[in-house]
């Protein structure tokens, strides 16, 4: 029996998310990279841009031309900044491709909130209404039929997976949730910036954007949906001087004094019993143990009257390109783990 091959195009392949997407697709048994689409005027050989691809992917980027791309590809991944993605997504859909957008442009349901948070007018509210939020462990039913999937943010992925089962089982209060999170430097993308240079970051560790990070509304949107009531969080991100990985320590109040640690574990184990990418662990997660994998490692403790969840992912994989391929698999009727284990 012939097996299906999904042909993929990547808009913005010279990005970090593009690099990891290419690497995953190269080992995917039922996907092929058909078209790399770059904004650059000079044709870019992708292996010259990323030498780790030498001998593995000898493709030259071509112009971002949705009609030409649609002749060769079933799906387009958008690996470009927010506000840029929505310049291309309508034409990619119109040309007949399905789209997985890694930017934030289609994640927030409310265009007014998007404009407030991202300081940009939303130019494609029609497709915003149609987009599925691509967090398969929580919203799997929405993904297979979607023409457009908004791939979640990295911090929101680790937070939503770490909090949802406890909210759904009403084991924690919906108020007073504090998320202390740390991300490796690739989370900021490949474009150079002074505060991201090696001497600035190496051996440093600091918080940033406390209470005003753009991922906070996305986290609140997901938690409010699963709790079926408004949930607000305090989100405190930190810049971790490693290249990849996110660890979140999430502090919550138990719903009552009767809540036990055993019940908290049970909630995770039941919720994720059939989820291949969630590992509920007894020991404390470490970014090193999820590196280059699509896993989210989770554990929970009840200490000093607080519930504390620890959630670890690779920001480039479960936080971006791996999750995007998980979504592609679901959209094209493949097992969600294909190419990812
Ligand atoms: N890094 C992460 O951990 C992460 C996680 C989840 C989601 N995301 C999101 O995924 C998207 C890509 O992130 P990234 O970190 O991979 O980005 P990045 O490394 O900074 O690369 C950005 C890419 O967008 C291209 N680009 C910039 N402006 C463009 C324009 N006007 N038209 C066409 N292409 C343009 C760049 O091309 P040139 O190389 O030619 O400049 C480059 O390929 C962003 O929206 C980001 O928020 C990132």
């Amino acid at each position: 029996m012939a097996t299906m091959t999904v042909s993929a195009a990547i808009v913005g392949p010279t990005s970090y998310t593009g690099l990891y997407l290419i690497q995953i697709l190269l080992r995917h048994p039922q996907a092929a990279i058909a078209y790399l689409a770059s904004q650059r005027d000079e044709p870019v050989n992708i292996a010259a841009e990323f030498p780790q691809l030498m001998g593995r992917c000898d493709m030259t980027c071509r112009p971002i031309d949705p009609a030409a791309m649609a002749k060769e590809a079933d799906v387009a991944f958008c690996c470009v900044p927010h506000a840029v993605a929505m310049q291309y997504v309508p034409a990619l859909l119109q040309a007949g491709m399905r789209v997985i957008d890694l930017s934030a442009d289609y994640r927030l349901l409310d265009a007014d909130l998007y404009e407030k948070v991202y300081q940009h007018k939303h130019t494609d509210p029609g497709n915003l209404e149609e987009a599925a939020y691509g967090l398969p462990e929580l919203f799997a039913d929405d993904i297979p039929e979607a023409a457009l999937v908004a791939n979640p943010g990295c911090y929101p992925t680790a937070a939503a997976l770490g909090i949802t089962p406890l909210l759904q089982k009403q084991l924690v209060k919906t108020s007073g949730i504090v998320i202390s999170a740390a991300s490796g430097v690739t989370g900021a993308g490949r474009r150079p910036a002074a505060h991201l240079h090696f001497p600035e970051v190496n051996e440093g560790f600091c918080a940033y954007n406390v209470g005003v990070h753009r991922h906070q509304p996305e986290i609140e949107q997901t938690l409010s949906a699963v709790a079926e009531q408004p949930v607000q969080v305090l989100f405190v991100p930190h810049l971790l001087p490693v290249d990849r990985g996110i660890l979140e320590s999430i502090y919550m109040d138990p719903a009552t004094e009767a809540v036990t640690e055993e019940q908290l574990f049970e909630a995770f184990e039941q919720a994720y019993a059939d989820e291949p990418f969630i590992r509920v662990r007894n020991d404390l997660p470490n970014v090193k143990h999820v590196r280059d994998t699509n896993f989210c490692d989770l554990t929970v403790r009840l200490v000093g009257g607080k519930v504390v969840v620890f959630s670890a992912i690779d920001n480039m994989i479960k936080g971006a390109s791996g999750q995007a391929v998980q979504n592609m698999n679901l959209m094209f009727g493949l097992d969600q783990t294909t190419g990812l284990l």
Side-chain angles (χ1 to χ4, degrees):
M1 198 174 76
T3 51
M4 172 193 196
T5 298
V6 181
S7 294
I10 301 175
V11 183
T14 52
S15 58
Y16 282 144
T17 52
L19 168 63
Y20 293 106
L21 193 51
I22 290 169
Q23 303 207 93
I24 294 169
L25 292 173
L26 286 175
R27 13 173 235 261
H28 193 296
Q30 286 179 262
I33 303 168
Y35 196 119
L36 299 179
S38 167
Q39 64 162 348
R40 297 200 199 163
D41 295 333
E42 297 295 313
V44 182
N45 181 283
I46 201 68
E49 185 79 13
F50 294 121
Q52 54 271 64
L53 296 177
M54 274 170 76
R56 299 162 66 203
C57 183
D58 185 29
M59 291 179 78
T60 299
C61 298
R62 292 180 270 169
I64 306 174
D65 176 347
M69 293 163 70
K71 286 191 186 135
E72 299 179 38
D74 308 304
V75 62
F77 293 91
C78 280
C79 296
V80 295
H82 66 268
V84 173
M86 63 187 166
Q87 292 171 19
Y88 298 114
V89 168
L92 297 168
L93 289 168
Q94 195 99 50
M97 282 174 286
R98 297 172 82 187
V99 176
I100 300 169
D101 177 30
L102 282 83
S103 89
D105 282 351
Y106 297 90
R107 294 183 198 152
L108 295 176
L109 299 170
D110 179 349
D112 292 338
L113 179 61
Y114 173 88
E115 287 172 21
K116 200 168 135 210
V117 174
Y118 288 92
Q119 303 282 303
H120 259 279
K121 186 157 177 56
H122 203 294
T123 54
D124 189 22
N127 285 316
L128 179 60
E129 279 178 22
E130 301 299 320
Y133 187 70
L135 190 47
E137 289 76 10
L138 305 187
F139 306 111
D141 293 348
D142 301 342
I143 298 164
E145 302 302 323
L148 169 60
V149 167
N151 213 59
C154 45
Y155 285 128
T157 294
L161 294 174
I163 300 172
T164 295
L166 305 186
L167 281 179
Q168 284 178 328
K169 289 271 180 189
Q170 298 176 352
L171 291 168
V172 292
K173 293 186 178 158
T174 52
S175 60
I177 300 174
V178 178
I179 305 167
S180 176
S183 172
V185 185
T186 50
R190 198 168 174 230
R191 176 182 286 196
H195 71 288
L196 299 174
H197 289 174
F198 184 78
E200 306 289 334
V201 172
N202 183 43
E203 297 187 46
F205 185 57
C206 61
Y208 67 99
N209 291 357
V210 180
V212 296
H213 193 283
R214 286 166 166 171
H215 284 173
Q216 182 164 323
E218 186 183 335
I219 294 169
E220 291 173 340
Q221 174 177 281
T222 303
L223 297 183
S224 301
V226 298
E228 297 178 355
Q229 60 177 289
V231 176
Q232 290 185 330
V233 300
L234 171 58
F235 177 58
V236 184
H238 299 73
L239 187 62
L240 186 66
V242 299
D243 56 359
R244 296 158 66 174
I246 283 179
L247 179 70
E248 298 189 0
S249 308
I250 305 167
Y251 305 87
M252 292 168 278
D253 292 314
T256 69
E257 284 182 11
V259 169
T260 65
E261 197 171 272
E262 200 181 356
Q263 286 176 307
L264 300 167
F265 266 100
E266 258 173 37
F268 280 119
E269 277 157 5
Q270 281 174 11
Y272 296 136
D274 297 324
E275 294 302 340
F277 294 118
I278 312 289
R279 300 190 294 199
V280 181
R281 306 175 57 130
N282 287 319
D283 54 355
L284 296 167
N286 184 327
V287 291
K288 204 163 225 177
H289 303 155
V290 291
R291 190 184 160 101
D292 221 0
T293 80
N294 200 49
F295 290 117
C296 174
D297 278 5
L298 291 169
T299 198
V300 61
R301 297 287 186 271
L302 183 58
V303 276
K306 287 271 178 195
V307 175
V308 192
V309 169
F310 300 91
S311 177
I313 60 170
D314 184 331
N315 59 298
M316 297 311 314
I317 309 293
K318 185 60 177 161
S321 307
Q323 184 141 267
V325 172
Q326 191 181 351
N327 281 316
M328 179 196 82
N329 288 339
L330 289 167
M331 292 164 82
F332 288 88
L334 304 176
D335 187 286
Q336 62 175 322
T337 63
T338 312
L340 289 168
L341 286 177

